[in-house]
Coordinates of all heavy atoms in Angstrom, one line a residue:
G673 N 62.4 -142.5 31.2 CA 62.0 -142.0 32.5 C 61.0 -140.8 32.5 O 60.7 -140.3 33.6
F674 N 60.6 -140.4 31.4 CA 59.6 -139.3 31.3 C 58.2 -139.7 31.7 O 57.8 -140.8 31.3 CB 59.6 -138.7 29.9 CG 60.8 -137.9 29.5 CD1 61.9 -138.5 28.9 CD2 60.8 -136.5 29.8 CE1 63.0 -137.8 28.6 CE2 61.9 -135.8 29.5 CZ 63.0 -136.4 28.9
N675 N 57.5 -138.9 32.3 CA 56.1 -139.1 32.7 C 55.3 -138.5 31.5 O 55.3 -137.3 31.2 CB 55.7 -138.4 33.9 CG 54.3 -138.6 34.3 OD1 53.4 -138.7 33.5 ND2 54.0 -138.6 35.6
L676 N 54.6 -139.4 30.7 CA 54.0 -139.0 29.5 C 52.8 -138.0 29.7 O 52.4 -137.2 28.8 CB 53.5 -140.2 28.7 CG 54.6 -141.1 28.2 CD1 54.0 -142.3 27.6 CD2 55.5 -140.4 27.3
T677 N 52.2 -138.0 30.9 CA 51.0 -137.1 31.2 C 51.4 -135.8 31.7 O 50.7 -134.8 31.4 CB 50.0 -137.8 32.1 OG1 50.7 -138.1 33.4 CG2 49.4 -139.1 31.6
S678 N 52.5 -135.7 32.4 CA 52.9 -134.4 33.0 C 54.1 -133.7 32.4 O 54.3 -132.5 32.5 CB 53.1 -134.5 34.5 OG 54.2 -135.3 34.8
E679 N 55.0 -134.5 31.7 CA 56.2 -133.9 31.2 C 56.3 -133.8 29.7 O 57.3 -133.3 29.1 CB 57.5 -134.7 31.7 CG 57.6 -134.7 33.2 CD 58.8 -135.6 33.7 OE1 59.1 -136.6 33.0 OE2 59.4 -135.2 34.7
V680 N 55.4 -134.3 29.0 CA 55.4 -134.4 27.5 C 54.2 -133.7 27.0 O 53.1 -133.9 27.4 CB 55.5 -135.8 27.0 CG1 55.4 -135.9 25.5 CG2 56.7 -136.5 27.6
E681 N 54.4 -132.8 26.0 CA 53.3 -132.1 25.3 C 53.4 -132.5 23.8 O 54.4 -132.1 23.2 CB 53.5 -130.6 25.5 CG 52.2 -129.8 25.2 CD 51.1 -130.1 26.1 OE1 51.3 -130.2 27.3 OE2 50.0 -130.1 25.5
R682 N 52.5 -133.2 23.4 CA 52.4 -133.7 22.0 C 51.7 -132.7 21.1 O 50.6 -132.2 21.4 CB 51.8 -135.1 21.9 CG 51.8 -135.6 20.5 CD 51.4 -137.0 20.5 NE 52.5 -137.7 21.2 CZ 52.5 -139.0 21.3 NH1 51.6 -139.7 20.7 NH2 53.5 -139.6 21.9
V683 N 52.2 -132.4 19.9 CA 51.6 -131.5 19.0 C 51.6 -132.2 17.6 O 52.7 -132.7 17.2 CB 52.4 -130.2 18.8 CG1 51.7 -129.3 17.8 CG2 52.5 -129.5 20.2
V684 N 50.5 -132.2 17.0 CA 50.4 -132.7 15.6 C 50.1 -131.6 14.7 O 49.0 -130.9 14.8 CB 49.3 -133.8 15.6 CG1 49.1 -134.3 14.2 CG2 49.5 -134.9 16.5
F685 N 51.0 -131.3 13.8 CA 50.8 -130.2 12.9 C 50.1 -130.8 11.6 O 50.5 -131.9 11.1 CB 52.2 -129.6 12.5 CG 52.8 -128.8 13.6 CD1 53.8 -129.4 14.4 CD2 52.4 -127.5 13.9 CE1 54.4 -128.7 15.5 CE2 52.9 -126.8 15.0 CZ 53.9 -127.4 15.7
H686 N 49.3 -130.0 11.0 CA 48.6 -130.3 9.7 C 48.4 -129.0 9.0 O 48.7 -128.0 9.5 CB 47.4 -131.2 9.9 CG 46.4 -130.5 10.9 ND1 45.5 -129.6 10.5 CD2 46.2 -130.8 12.2 CE1 44.8 -129.2 11.5 NE2 45.2 -130.0 12.6
K687 N 47.9 -129.1 7.8 CA 47.9 -128.0 6.9 C 46.9 -126.8 7.5 O 47.1 -125.7 7.2 CB 47.5 -128.3 5.5 CG 46.1 -128.9 5.4 CD 45.9 -129.3 3.9 CE 44.4 -129.8 3.8 NZ 44.1 -130.0 2.5
D688 N 45.9 -127.2 8.3 CA 45.0 -126.3 8.8 C 45.4 -125.8 10.2 O 44.6 -125.1 10.8 CB 43.6 -126.9 8.8 CG 43.0 -127.1 7.5 OD1 43.4 -126.4 6.6 OD2 42.3 -128.1 7.3
Y689 N 46.5 -126.2 10.7 CA 47.0 -125.8 12.1 C 47.4 -124.4 12.0 O 48.2 -124.0 11.1 CB 48.1 -126.7 12.5 CG 48.3 -126.8 14.0 CD1 47.5 -127.5 14.8 CD2 49.4 -126.1 14.6 CE1 47.6 -127.6 16.2 CE2 49.6 -126.2 16.0 CZ 48.7 -126.9 16.7 OH 48.9 -127.0 18.1
T690 N 47.0 -123.5 13.0 CA 47.3 -122.1 12.9 C 48.1 -121.7 14.1 O 48.3 -122.4 15.1 CB 46.0 -121.3 12.9 OG1 45.3 -121.5 14.2 CG2 45.0 -121.7 11.8
Y691 N 48.6 -120.5 14.0 CA 49.4 -119.9 15.1 C 48.5 -119.9 16.4 O 49.0 -120.2 17.5 CB 49.7 -118.4 14.7 CG 50.4 -117.7 15.8 CD1 51.8 -117.8 15.9 CD2 49.8 -116.8 16.6 CE1 52.5 -117.1 16.9 CE2 50.5 -116.1 17.6 CZ 51.8 -116.2 17.7 OH 52.5 -115.5 18.7
S692 N 47.3 -119.5 16.3 CA 46.4 -119.5 17.5 C 46.1 -120.9 18.1 O 45.9 -121.0 19.3 CB 45.1 -118.7 17.2 OG 44.4 -119.4 16.2
D693 N 46.2 -121.9 17.2 CA 46.1 -123.3 17.8 C 47.3 -123.6 18.6 O 47.2 -124.3 19.6 CB 46.0 -124.3 16.6 CG 44.6 -124.2 15.8 OD1 43.6 -123.9 16.5 OD2 44.7 -124.4 14.6
F694 N 48.5 -123.2 18.1 CA 49.7 -123.5 18.8 C 49.9 -122.7 20.1 O 50.3 -123.2 21.1 CB 50.9 -123.3 17.8 CG 52.2 -123.8 18.3 CD1 52.4 -125.1 18.6 CD2 53.2 -122.9 18.5 CE1 53.7 -125.5 19.2 CE2 54.5 -123.3 18.9 CZ 54.7 -124.6 19.3
I695 N 49.7 -121.3 20.0 CA 49.9 -120.5 21.1 C 48.7 -120.4 22.1 O 48.9 -120.5 23.3 CB 50.2 -119.0 20.6 CG1 51.4 -119.0 19.7 CG2 50.4 -118.1 21.8 CD1 52.7 -119.5 20.4
G696 N 47.5 -120.3 21.5 CA 46.3 -120.2 22.3 C 45.5 -119.0 21.7 O 45.9 -118.2 20.9
C697 N 44.2 -118.9 22.2 CA 43.4 -117.9 21.6 C 42.2 -117.6 22.6 O 42.0 -118.4 23.5 CB 42.8 -118.2 20.3 SG 41.8 -119.7 20.2
L698 N 41.5 -116.5 22.4 CA 40.4 -116.1 23.2 C 39.2 -116.9 22.7 O 39.0 -116.9 21.4 CB 40.1 -114.6 23.1 CG 41.1 -113.7 23.8 CD1 40.7 -112.3 23.5 CD2 41.1 -114.0 25.3
M699 N 38.5 -117.5 23.5 CA 37.3 -118.3 23.2 C 36.1 -117.7 23.9 O 36.2 -117.4 25.1 CB 37.5 -119.8 23.5 CG 38.6 -120.4 22.7 SD 38.3 -120.5 21.0 CE 37.1 -121.7 20.9
P700 N 34.9 -117.7 23.2 CA 33.7 -117.2 23.9 C 33.2 -118.2 25.0 O 33.3 -119.4 24.7 CB 32.7 -117.0 22.8 CG 33.2 -117.9 21.7 CD 34.7 -118.0 21.8
N701 N 32.7 -117.7 26.1 CA 32.1 -118.5 27.1 C 30.7 -118.0 27.4 O 30.6 -116.8 27.7 CB 32.9 -118.5 28.4 CG 33.9 -119.7 28.5 OD1 33.7 -120.7 27.9 ND2 34.8 -119.5 29.4
N702 N 29.8 -118.8 27.4 CA 28.4 -118.4 27.7 C 28.2 -118.8 29.2 O 28.0 -120.0 29.5 CB 27.4 -119.0 26.8 CG 26.0 -118.4 26.9 OD1 25.8 -117.4 27.6 ND2 25.1 -119.0 26.2
S703 N 28.2 -117.9 30.1 CA 28.0 -118.1 31.5 C 26.8 -117.5 32.0 O 26.0 -116.8 31.3 CB 29.3 -117.6 32.3 OG 29.3 -116.2 32.2

């Protein structure tokens, strides 16, 4: 009965996956 789009967060870990990929990070925006 789970809604796959709103209730599930899928994560694929691989050897290059970092802490900032998992938590989040500051990204530059050109506005």
Side-chain angles (χ1 to χ4, degrees):
F674 285 92
N675 182 329
L676 297 178
T677 57
S678 67
E679 296 179 330
V680 175
E681 196 64 38
R682 179 169 297 184
V683 181
V684 177
F685 291 100
H686 51 82
K687 64 180 182 174
D688 295 328
Y689 201 76
T690 64
Y691 177 84
S692 60
D693 291 327
F694 187 60
I695 302 297
C697 61
L698 290 175
M699 297 294 289
N701 262 344
N702 193 6
S703 65

